[in-house]
Amino acid sequence: GKTLLVQVDGQPYLVMVPGHLYLDLTKVKKALKAKKVDLADEKMIKKVLGTEPGALHPFAKLSGLRLLMDEGLAKAKEAIIRAGSFTDSLRMEIKDLKKMEEVSLGDFGKMMAPKVKKAAKIISKQAVKKGYLVKKGAKKAAKKVKKAVKKVKKGS
């Protein structure tokens, strides 16, 4: 699970989505009937949660916040989540997290848009060609990722 801090009409909320999805701010805005929703900046993350960006945990109650959880993640049995650091994670049953927190469920995630996928692919190819990435290592890693993605899509 991926946890992000957002500001909804100036109020901070934690939002948790499956790691393979992006957070759709428009969906958050619509679900909460808000006027404005933005991702929190680094300063806000440190102030509200006392942690670094990228190490956010989903324990909203610790900071007096609400936790919004994507319905897709809520259907999972368990998730691996950050524990407030870059080196520690927790494997936790979703039902236990929902008991601990006052979770509001909704559809908050989105897949990467095809145009964005295509742009990312073009950029990575150019980076390899120009030597920005270690060519052999990057190509091998890219092949492994492509194979893993194909397996996931096929359901194997």
Side-chain angles (χ1 to χ4, degrees), residues 8-143:
V8 179
D9 292 335
Q11 295 295 318
Y13 284 77
L14 283 175
V15 185
M16 192 172 173
V17 296
H20 69 285
L21 296 181
Y22 287 91
L23 176 61
D24 188 331
L25 295 176
T26 304
K27 289 181 179 181
V28 174
K29 184 177 177 180
K30 186 176 178 183
L32 297 178
K33 298 176 180 145
K35 292 181 181 175
K36 186 176 181 183
V37 177
D38 290 309
L39 282 174
D41 60 16
E42 186 175 335
K43 187 177 176 181
M44 176 66 97
I45 292 169
K46 288 180 181 179
K47 179 182 174 185
V48 174
L49 300 174
T51 188
E52 296 291 323
L56 279 66
H57 57 76
F59 305 111
K61 281 188 177 180
L62 292 174
S63 302
L65 304 177
R66 283 185 48 203
L67 177 63
L68 308 175
M69 183 184 291
D70 187 82
E71 294 165 342
L73 188 60
K75 292 176 186 175
K77 183 176 179 178
E78 61 183 21
I80 297 173
I81 55 176
R82 291 269 186 208
S85 79
F86 291 108
T87 57
D88 300 311
S89 295
L90 299 168
R91 181 184 303 264
M92 185 171 197
E93 289 193 20
I94 295 296
K95 67 178 183 176
D96 292 335
L97 181 60
K98 286 166 56 178
K99 284 179 190 175
M100 291 173 56
E101 298 291 328
E102 293 175 22
V103 175
S104 297
L105 296 176
D107 177 20
F108 304 117
K110 68 177 178 180
M111 294 296 286
M112 186 187 298
K115 287 182 181 179
V116 176
K117 280 185 187 178
K118 186 176 179 179
K121 192 174 184 179
I122 291 168
I123 290 167
S124 65
K125 281 184 180 179
Q126 289 174 349
V128 169
K129 283 181 185 176
K130 292 186 178 189
Y132 296 132
L133 302 173
V134 178
K135 291 181 182 180
K136 290 180 185 176
K139 286 181 182 179
K140 284 181 183 179
K143 285 179 184 179

